[in-house]
Structures are given as C-alpha cells and as structure tokens.
Amino acid sequence: MAMVLCVSCKKDDDNNEPNGGGNTGGGGTGGGTIAGHTYVDLGLPSGLLWATCNVGADKPEDYGNYFAWGETAVKDYYSLSTYKWCNGDWDNLMLTRYNTDSYYGTVDNRTILELADDAAHVNWGGDWRMPTREEMNELKNNCTWTWTTQGGNNGYRVTGSNGSSIFLPAAGCYYNGGLYGAGFHGYYWSSSLYTGRPNGAYYLYFDSGDVDMDYYGRYCGHSVRPVCPSQK
C-alpha cells in the first residue's frame, strides 16, 4: 500500500509554541510543533498529541534510537549487566529504582518514569514525554491500524477519528548487542512499570497481524515515540 509522504519531524524554530495546521503526520490536519519537534492531533478522547517521529529519527519512517526502560542514552549493548537500574544478574537480580517487590531489590514504589529518566523528555525537552500504558491503550483502541510501507520501511499507519495519522515503523528491538525483528516487529516503551513483575515494563508490540500491549525486560532496547498534552 502507498503512504502519503510526511514532512521532517524537526523544525528550524526551537520553541514551545504550537504551530497550527499542516499534514505533519501522514494524513489529515491538526499538526504543530513543540520544542522543535512536530506532533499530530489524532482526535483522541484525552486530547493527547503524538509525535510524528521516534526519538533519534529525522523522518517518520526512520527507526531512530533504542533505549532501555528508564535510561535516556543509547548504548552498544543492552543487558542486565549494562542496565542502569540494576545491580547483579539473572542469578542475583537487584533493582535499584522503580520497584514494588522486595524480591527484586530496593522497593521505592515508583511505577511511572520520572521526567529525569524519561528518554522522550530528556532528549526532546519541552512538554514531551513517554506515553503511559493507559495512553498507549487509548491509541490502540481509538485508531485504525493499517500495515503498510513508508520510505522503504514497514510499519503501521495509525489513523484517528479525525482523519489525521502517524506512522510507526517496525523498528525491532535491541537485545545484547544485536538488533532483532526490524521490518517485522515494533516494540515501543510506555512509561509504566509492570508491577506484577517489576523487572519488566509495559510496551506496545505489533507485527503485520497483531497490535497489543505486553510487558518486557526493562534492560532491552526499544523505540520511544513521544507524546505531549493538548495545546488548546
């Protein structure tokens, strides 16, 4: 299937003021700019605005960077041994932050990433942040998801009730030193801890036949698609 070409995710002006109009997300209207990065209003019940690109990407179809959950910088190797908020390994797992169960380490009962540990906010600034589990479910349940190809990369065109859309590339994920599933699977972090097993966090998963929420080991490198609150 063909996809409407989108504009770049970055703008020359670097401010926090909304810039109205434009076909910034791959379809429809209701786009603008926050802190130099473009968003689309998908007409969601909450009014939440979704970015047109992943963190680290210049175009909607670009994969961008990969982050372990609660980390804000890219790295070459994604494992428990390199994870910022863990001391130990599989045999002696001790979480040092974002933990609700003493079995896994130090309990602080933090269940949502603080802005200092949010890859979207740290890298983009302004009002940008990572979406919560509930906000990802809102996107999943209130939009039409169409598997397609844009700029040579597979992924989903996500179209809101108002006709506006974003493109989420199937960027795969990093585990240890390798990239897996690129072109076939998408893994997008939420900011929400999985409290049933706090060494994991919620993420949006998709392939060509399925879109769902699940939890995954926090140390793995996933994509990040930022959101920001309504500018109205």
Side-chain angles (χ1 to χ4, degrees):
M1 289 186 240
M3 184 74 177
V4 177
L5 182 65
C6 299
V7 300
S8 171
C9 296
K10 295 181 180 179
K11 294 289 186 179
D12 292 335
D13 56 312
D14 189 14
N15 57 61
N16 291 325
E17 294 301 319
N19 225 354
N23 184 9
T24 57
T29 58
T33 305
I34 299 291
H37 299 274
T38 59
Y39 66 80
V40 168
D41 182 354
L42 296 168
L44 296 170
S46 68
L48 192 70
L49 306 173
W50 282 78
T52 59
C53 290
N54 292 344
V55 175
D58 291 326
K59 295 182 291 185
E61 63 268 25
D62 291 347
Y63 291 165
N65 295 331
Y66 300 82
F67 300 90
W69 191 83
E71 294 186 0
T72 60
V74 298
K75 54 190 181 182
D76 295 326
Y77 202 80
Y78 294 80
S79 70
L80 280 175
S81 65
T82 65
Y83 183 52
K84 181 177 181 180
W85 304 118
C86 176
N87 290 328
D89 53 27
W90 284 115
D91 296 323
N92 185 29
L93 177 65
M94 295 294 291
L95 296 173
T96 60
R97 192 171 177 86
Y98 302 104
N99 184 26
T100 58
D101 187 339
S102 60
Y103 178 81
Y104 293 95
T106 304
V107 173
D108 58 12
N109 290 315
R110 292 183 173 95
T111 60
I112 299 293
L113 287 176
E114 297 182 352
L115 290 180
D117 303 318
D118 184 308
H121 182 74
V122 170
N123 285 278
W124 281 18
D127 292 329
W128 293 110
R129 59 172 175 80
M130 292 165 60
T132 64
R133 175 196 181 192
E134 293 75 18
E135 289 166 343
M136 283 191 151
N137 268 319
E138 180 186 50
L139 183 74
K140 180 173 77 76
N141 295 330
N142 289 275
C143 294
T144 300
W145 293 66
T146 305
W147 184 259
T148 187
T149 301
Q150 178 168 318
N153 288 335
N154 295 330
Y156 272 100
R157 180 175 62 212
V158 184
T159 306
S161 60
N162 61 2
S164 295
S165 67
I166 58 174
F167 180 75
L168 296 177
C173 72
Y174 262 94
Y175 174 73
N176 291 332
L179 177 63
Y180 297 90
F184 301 96
H185 305 279
Y187 304 80
Y188 284 77
W189 281 130
S190 79
S191 61
S192 301
L193 182 74
Y194 177 61
T195 56
R197 194 172 179 180
N199 62 340
Y202 284 103
Y203 75 106
L204 178 74
Y205 166 82
F206 61 75
D207 58 29
S208 61
D210 187 36
V211 179
D212 209 351
M213 293 295 299
D214 205 343
Y215 69 92
Y216 211 89
R218 290 161 46 175
Y219 60 90
C220 295
H222 289 191
S223 303
V224 170
R225 178 59 64 95
V227 297
C228 61
S230 173
Q231 301 299 300
K232 296 178 181 178

